[in-house]
C-alpha cells in the first residue's frame, strides 16, 4: 500500500503522450539487445519469422490505423466540408469553416475560455504541485497518508469527482459555504453564475489532478544531486536562495513535462465540464474541446467540429514540439 | 499503511528550527484536510438521512442510511451500468494488454524489414489527441453498425501504443542469455514468450494492465457518444444520467451513485498505488 516513490527517477519524456491522457513516454535508454542478430531481410529464409511478426503486430496496427491515423486524415478532409453527419454526403467548401470560426466572436470567446482554463491549470499545477512536493519531501510523520490522499482523486472518474464538487458547490448545503459563512459572506452560486463557473471548474480540476503532479515533482526533487546542495550550504546560501538558484533551474525539465501533461489533460476534461457546467452558463465554460463535442454531436455540424479539432491538433503539436526542443537543450546544460 | 519505510535521502532540512517544523506540520494537516475532507464528505453524505444533508451548519457524522443506494438504484438502472462497465473494462483492458504484449514481443525478439520504422509509426499515434478522432471514429463505428454495442464501446480503444512501448522497454532489459538458452533448447517463439519472457515481465504487465483498467473504467466521452440508450450506458455516464433525472433534489442518492462509480478505482488504487504511479509517469518513475 505504501507509496514508495522515494527512490524514484523522473526523466522528462520525449514526445509527450497525447492520447493516453497525457502520459509521457520515457526516454528509451540504450537497449541491451537480448540476442545478437544479423540484418538480413531474406524473405525466403526468414519467412516463418516474418509471418509470426505480422500475426503478432497486425491486430494492434489495424486498430491504431483505423482509430488513430485514419481519423486525422478524414478529419482534415471533413474540416473542408459542410455536412450534418446524418444524411447526404460532405460538401466541399474550402477553408470556409476556418474562416467562419476565426471571425466569429463566439469562437473567440471559446478560445479565450480555453486559454484561461488551460493557463490556470498549467500555472496552478506547477506552483501548487511543486509546493506539495517540497512539503512531502520533508521528514514529517503522516506525510505518506497525505500523499496518498492527494494522489487518489487523480485515478477516480472525472464524472465522480465533478459530481462530488457539484454538491460541494451547492450554495445552501455545500461544503464550500463553510468557507464563506464565517466572514458573513454569502456563497457564490458557483456553476450557475457565469462569473464563477470557470473558477469552480478550475478548483475541481486542480483538486483532482494536483496530487499526481506533486508525485512527479517529488520524484524530481529526490533525484537532484546532493553535492550541489552541500556546496551551496558551505558557501552560506540560505534555503530560499538555494531553492531559487539551484532547485528550480534543475527541475525545469520536470516543470516542462508537467506543463505539457497539464495542457494535454485540460483538453480531455470532457467529463468534468459535462457534469459541472455543460459548457455554461451560456458559453462561459465552453472550451475548445467542449466546442468540438457540441458542434459535432449536439449541433450536428461536422465541418465546424472538424475544423475546431484541427486547430486543437495544431496547438498540441506546437506545444509538444516546444517541449521536446526545450528538454533536449536542457539536457546539454547538465 | 506502511509508509515511508524506505528512508529517502532527506535534503535541505538539517537546519529547520522547531518553529519551522510546527509550520510544516500545520501545512501538512491543511493539505490533508483539503484532500481527505471532500472524500469524507462524499462517503458520509452517501450514508446521511435527507434531513442531515439539507442542513446548515453541516452535520459531520453520517447515519447509516443505506437507503440512498437503493434510491439511486431505483432512479437509474445501476445494475446495467455496472454490468456494462465491467464488460467494457474487462474486455477492453484484456485486449489492450494482449495487443501490448504481442506487439512488444514482436518488436524486441523478431526480425522484420523496416521494423523500427513501423515502431515509430505506431508511436506516432501518441501524438493524436482524442479530440481529433472523436467525430471520425463515431462515423466509422456507425458505418460498421456498432453504435450502442459492446464492440463499438471497446474496439476503438483496444489498441495499445503506450503500454506496448512500456513493455518493449522492459523486454529490452531482460537478460539475453536466458532467452538464448531457451532457444538452444529448441523452444519456439510462442513458448519462449509464454514461459520465459512473460513471467519475467510480470511487474510491467501488472502496471500496463492496471492502467488499462483505470482508463477503460473512467472513460467518459467515447461511451457518451457511442451509446444512445440508458441500458447501454457505463457508470460515469450513468452518474450524469442519475443527476439529470434526480435533478438537484436528492443529494444523498446522487452521492451514493458517485460512491458506486468512484469506489472501485479507489480500492484498486489503495492496493496498486505504486504500479499506478509507475504507469502514469511513463515508466520514467522507477518505483
Amino acid at each position: 500500500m505504501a507509496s514508495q516513490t522515494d527512490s524514484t527517477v523522473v526523466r522528462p519524456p520525449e514526445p509527450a503522450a497525447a492520447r493516453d491522457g497525457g502520459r509521457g513516454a520515457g526516454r528509451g535508454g540504450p537497449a541491451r539487445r537480448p540476442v545478437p542478430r544479423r540484418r538480413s531481410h531474406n524473405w525466403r529464409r526468414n519467412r516463418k519469422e516474418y509471418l509470426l511478426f505480422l500475426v503478432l503486430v497486425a491486430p494492434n496496427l489495424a486498430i491504431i490505423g483505423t482509430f488513430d491515423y485514419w481519423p486525422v486524415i478524414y478529419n482534415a478532409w471533413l474540416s473542408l466540408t459542410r455536412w450534418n453527419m446524418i444524411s447526404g454526403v460532405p460538401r466541399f467548401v474550402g477553408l470556409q469553416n476556418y474562416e467562419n470560426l476565426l471571425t466569429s466572436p463566439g469562437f473567440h470567446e471559446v478560445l479565450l475560455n480555453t486559454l484561461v482554463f488551460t493557463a490556470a491549470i498549467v500555472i496552478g499545477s506547477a506552483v501548487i504541485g511543486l509546493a506539495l512536493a517540497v512539503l512531502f519531501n520533508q521528514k514529517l510523520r503522516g506525510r505518506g497518508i497525505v500523499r496518498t490522499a492527494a494522489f487518489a482523486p487523480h485515478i477516480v472518474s472525472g464524472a465522480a469527482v465533478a459530481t462530488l464538487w457539484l454538491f460541494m458547490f451547492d450554495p445552501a448545503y455545500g461544503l464550500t459555504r463553510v468557507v464563506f459563512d464565517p466572514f458573513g459572506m454569502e456563497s457564490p452560486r458557483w456553476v450557475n453564475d457565469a462569473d464563477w463557473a470557470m473558477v469552480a471548474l478550475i478548483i475541481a480540476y486542480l483538486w483532482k489532478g494536483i496530487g499526481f503532479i506533486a508525485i512527479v515533482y517529488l520524484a524530481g526533487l529526490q533525484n537532484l544531486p546532493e553535492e550541489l546542495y552541500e556546496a551551496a550550504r558551505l558557501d552560506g546560501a540560505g534555503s530560499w536562495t538555494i531553492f531559487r538558484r539551484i532547485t528550480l533551474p534543475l527541475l525545469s525539465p520536470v516543470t516542462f513535462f508537467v506543463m505539457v501533461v497539464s495542457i494535454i489533460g485540460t483538453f480531455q476534461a470532457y467529463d468534468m465540464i459535462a457534469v459541472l457546467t455543460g459548457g455554461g452558463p451560456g458559453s462561459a465554460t465552453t472550451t475548445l474541446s467542449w466546442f468540438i463535442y457540441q458542434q459535432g454531436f449536439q449541433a450536428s455540424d461536422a465541418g465546424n467540429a472538424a475544423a475546431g479539432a484541427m486547430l486543437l491538433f495544431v496547438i498540441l503539436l506546437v506545444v509538444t514540439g516546444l517541449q521536446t526542443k526545450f528538454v533536449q537543450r536542457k539536457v546539454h546544460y547538465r | 499503511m506502511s509508509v515511508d519505510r524506505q528512508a529517502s535521502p532527506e535534503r535541505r532540512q538539517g537546519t529547520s528550527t522547531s518553529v519551522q517544523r510546527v509550520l510544516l506540520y500545520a501545512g501538512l494537516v491543511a493539505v490533508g484536510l483539503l484532500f481527505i475532507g471532500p472524500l469524507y464528505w462524499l462517503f458520509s453524505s452517501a450514508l446521511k438521512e435527507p434531513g442531515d444533508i439539507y442542513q446548515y451548519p453541516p452535520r459531520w457524522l453520517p447515519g447509516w442510511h443505506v437507503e440512498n443506494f437503493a434510491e439511486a438504484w431505483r432512479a437509474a438502472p445501476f445494475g446495467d451500468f455496472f454490468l456494462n462497465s465491467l464488460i467494457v473494462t474487462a474486455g477492453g483492458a484484456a485486449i489492450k494488454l494482449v495487443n501490448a504484449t504481442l506487439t512488444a514481443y514482436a518488436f524486441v525478439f523478431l526480425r522484420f524489414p523496416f521494423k523500427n520504422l513501423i515502431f515509430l509509426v505506431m508511436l506516432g499515434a501518441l501524438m493524436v489527441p482524442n479530440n481529433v478522432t472523436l467525430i471520425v471514429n463515431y462515423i466509422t463505428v456507425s458505418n460498421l453498425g456498432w453504435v450502442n454495442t459492446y464492440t463499438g464501446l471497446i474496439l476503438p480503444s483496444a489498441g495499445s501504443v503506450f503500454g506496448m512501448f512500456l513493455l518493449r522497454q522492459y523486454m529490452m532489459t531482460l537478460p539475453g542469455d536466458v532467452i538464448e538458452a531457451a532457444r538452444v533448447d529448441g523452444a519456439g517463439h510462442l513458448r519462449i514468450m509464454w514461459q520465459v519472457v512473460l513471467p519475467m515481465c510480470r511487474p510491467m504487465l501488472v502496471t500496463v494492465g492496471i492502467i488499462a483498467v483505470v482508463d477503460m473504467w473512467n472513460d467518459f466521452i467515447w461511451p457518451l457518444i457511442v451509446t444512445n440508450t440508458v441500458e447501454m450506458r457505463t457508470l460515469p455516464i450513468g452518474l450524469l444520467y442519475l443527476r439529470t433525472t434526480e435533478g438537484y433534489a436528492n443529494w444523498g442518492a446522487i452521492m451514493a451513485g458517485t460512491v458506486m462509480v468512484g469506489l472501485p478505482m479507489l480500492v484498486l488504487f489503495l492496493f496498486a498505488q505504486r504500479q499506478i504511479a509507475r504507469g502514469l509517469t511513463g515508466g520514467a518513475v522507477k518505483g
Side-chain angles (χ1 to χ4, degrees):
Chain A
M1 309 259 257
S3 60
Q4 280 157 358
T5 39
D6 284 346
S7 55
T8 48
V9 183
V10 159
R11 273 167 298 156
E14 243 162 358
R19 186 91 200 294
D20 290 30
R23 259 155 265 135
R27 213 174 272 268
R32 181 143 64 90
R33 298 216 168 241
V35 185
R37 70 200 70 172
R38 292 139 292 148
R39 199 174 259 283
S40 70
H41 297 320
N42 186 331
W43 269 97
R44 267 248 290 280
R45 196 163 34 142
N46 298 322
R47 213 176 61 185
K48 255 182 85 181
E49 197 168 335
Y50 287 179
L51 214 63
L52 183 61
F53 181 94
L54 280 180
V55 169
L56 295 185
V57 171
N60 204 9
L61 201 58
I63 295 175
I64 289 162
T66 312
F67 296 108
D68 281 310
Y69 277 114
W70 165 244
V72 177
I73 301 164
Y74 193 57
N75 191 83
W77 158 249
L78 276 181
S79 75
L80 303 174
T81 69
R82 180 152 305 154
W83 186 35
N84 66 7
M85 281 181 81
I86 300 160
S87 58
V89 285
R91 187 168 53 84
F92 183 76
V93 293
L95 291 172
Q96 208 186 318
N97 291 323
Y98 292 96
E99 207 184 304
N100 288 350
L101 284 187
L102 293 173
T103 54
S104 116
F107 191 69
H108 293 166
E109 198 197 339
V110 168
L111 288 181
L112 187 66
N113 288 339
T114 313
L115 185 70
V116 170
F117 182 51
T118 305
I121 298 301
V122 168
I123 296 168
S125 297
V127 173
I128 306 172
L130 181 56
L132 287 186
V134 170
L135 185 67
F136 293 156
N137 199 32
Q138 312 291 324
K139 214 175 226 156
L140 300 171
R141 266 166 184 282
R143 66 173 179 175
I145 294 168
V146 177
R147 196 171 58 195
T148 301
F151 190 9
H154 181 69
I155 60 105
V156 174
S157 136
V161 170
T163 309
L164 166 61
W165 275 92
L166 202 58
F167 181 28
M168 304 247 298
F169 284 136
D170 187 301
Y173 306 110
L175 205 52
T176 47
R177 183 177 165 188
V178 177
V179 180
F180 292 87
D181 223 46
F183 304 101
M185 287 191 291
E186 224 171 85
S187 170
R189 284 163 56 243
W190 295 108
V191 296
N192 294 317
D193 182 331
D195 294 332
W196 283 89
M198 183 60 88
V199 182
L201 186 62
I202 289 167
I203 291 175
Y205 189 93
L206 277 177
W207 186 82
K208 179 174 176 355
I210 205 78
F212 168 64
I213 303 292
I215 299 281
V216 173
Y217 263 125
L218 183 61
L221 276 178
Q222 289 170 345
N223 194 36
L224 296 180
E226 181 67 22
E227 317 83 63
L228 266 175
Y229 288 95
E230 311 249 308
R233 242 175 263 129
L234 283 179
D235 286 349
S239 31
W240 175 243
T241 314
I242 290 179
F243 181 77
R244 218 172 44 106
R245 306 293 282 274
I246 298 180
T247 310
L248 271 187
L250 283 180
L251 280 181
S252 59
V254 181
T255 301
F256 229 82
F257 170 59
V258 162
M259 287 175 137
V260 171
V261 165
S262 307
I263 292 172
I264 293 168
T266 58
F267 284 141
Q268 311 297 330
Y270 290 107
D271 39 13
M272 305 210 76
I273 297 177
V275 171
L276 276 172
T277 64
S283 54
T285 52
T286 301
T287 62
L288 187 47
S289 38
W290 190 253
F291 175 82
I292 296 168
Y293 166 73
Q294 269 187 338
Q295 291 296 308
F297 298 98
Q298 290 174 354
S300 271
D301 187 337
N304 257 350
M310 290 315 284
L311 291 175
L312 187 149
F313 192 28
V314 170
I315 295 172
L316 271 187
L317 282 182
V318 170
V319 167
T320 40
L322 280 179
Q323 192 240 7
T324 317
K325 219 173 149 186
F326 180 83
V327 168
Q328 268 165 7
R329 213 183 57 207
K330 255 333 206 210
V331 170
H332 290 306
Y333 282 164
R334 285 210 263 177
Chain B
M1 258 179 273
S2 61
V3 273
D4 303 335
R5 243 188 347 222
Q6 280 181 341
S8 59
E10 301 294 334
R11 299 183 177 122
R12 304 172 289 293
Q13 56 193 30
T15 53
S16 63
T17 62
S18 54
V19 177
Q20 265 176 322
R21 293 205 62 79
V22 169
L23 285 177
L24 283 173
Y25 270 109
L28 192 69
V29 169
V31 173
L33 287 178
L34 192 64
F35 285 98
I36 296 171
L39 286 176
Y40 174 79
W41 185 250
L42 164 66
F43 285 100
S44 62
S45 301
L47 292 170
K48 274 182 203 164
E49 308 268 346
D52 286 346
I53 286 180
Y54 298 102
Q55 151 91 26
Y56 193 90
R59 279 222 186 109
W60 290 96
L61 287 181
W64 188 245
H65 193 65
V66 282
E67 178 57 19
N68 284 336
F69 286 85
E71 183 60 43
W73 209 283
R74 257 198 305 278
F78 267 87
D80 290 339
F81 300 159
F82 259 109
L83 184 69
N84 296 335
S85 272
L86 278 175
I87 291 174
V88 169
T89 302
I95 302 177
K96 245 183 152 107
L97 190 58
V98 169
N99 266 330
T101 310
L102 298 185
T103 318
Y105 184 90
F107 277 125
V108 177
F109 296 104
L110 293 175
R111 279 172 299 187
F112 197 79
F114 306 111
K115 86 171 176 182
N116 286 336
L117 184 70
I118 303 174
F119 179 70
L120 283 179
V121 166
M122 291 190 83
L123 220 51
L126 288 175
M127 301 289 294
V128 181
N130 77 351
N131 318 68
V132 176
T133 62
L134 224 48
I135 300 153
V136 179
N137 280 350
Y138 179 78
I139 295 170
T140 306
V141 163
S142 116
N143 284 340
L144 291 166
W146 290 343
V147 168
N148 224 27
T149 65
Y150 290 122
T151 317
L153 276 164
I154 292 173
L155 205 63
S157 36
S160 174
V161 178
F162 191 66
M164 177 270 284
F165 175 77
L166 289 183
L167 272 167
R168 173 184 173 269
Q169 300 304 100
Y170 201 87
M171 284 180 187
M172 293 202 307
T173 64
L174 297 180
D177 37 350
V178 180
I179 292 146
E180 188 59 23
R183 190 164 303 162
V184 170
D185 282 350
H189 274 293
L190 291 182
R191 220 172 111 198
I192 292 179
M193 171 167 33
W194 190 249
Q195 292 186 345
V196 183
V197 172
L198 289 193
M200 288 197 284
C201 287
R202 250 188 79 178
M204 195 45 94
L205 285 172
V206 171
T207 294
V208 171
I210 289 176
I211 296 301
V213 165
V214 174
D215 274 356
M216 293 303 287
W217 185 273
N218 289 343
D219 195 14
F220 184 83
I221 191 67
W222 181 249
L224 176 68
I225 61 178
V226 85
T227 58
N228 52 32
T229 58
V230 183
E231 294 77 29
M232 279 305 286
R233 300 296 201 187
T234 56
L235 275 169
I237 323 294
L239 185 59
L240 184 68
Y241 173 83
L242 171 72
R243 209 211 74 213
T244 37
T245 48
E246 290 282 287
Y248 290 93
N250 195 346
W251 278 119
I254 294 174
M255 287 299 106
T258 309
V259 167
M260 290 193 268
V261 179
L263 189 61
M265 290 304 108
L266 272 179
V267 172
L268 181 70
F269 173 73
L270 285 181
F271 282 105
Q273 192 179 346
R274 201 146 67 106
Q275 284 82 354
I276 290 175
R278 177 170 60 191
L280 290 183
T281 46
V285 173
K286 297 188 186 115

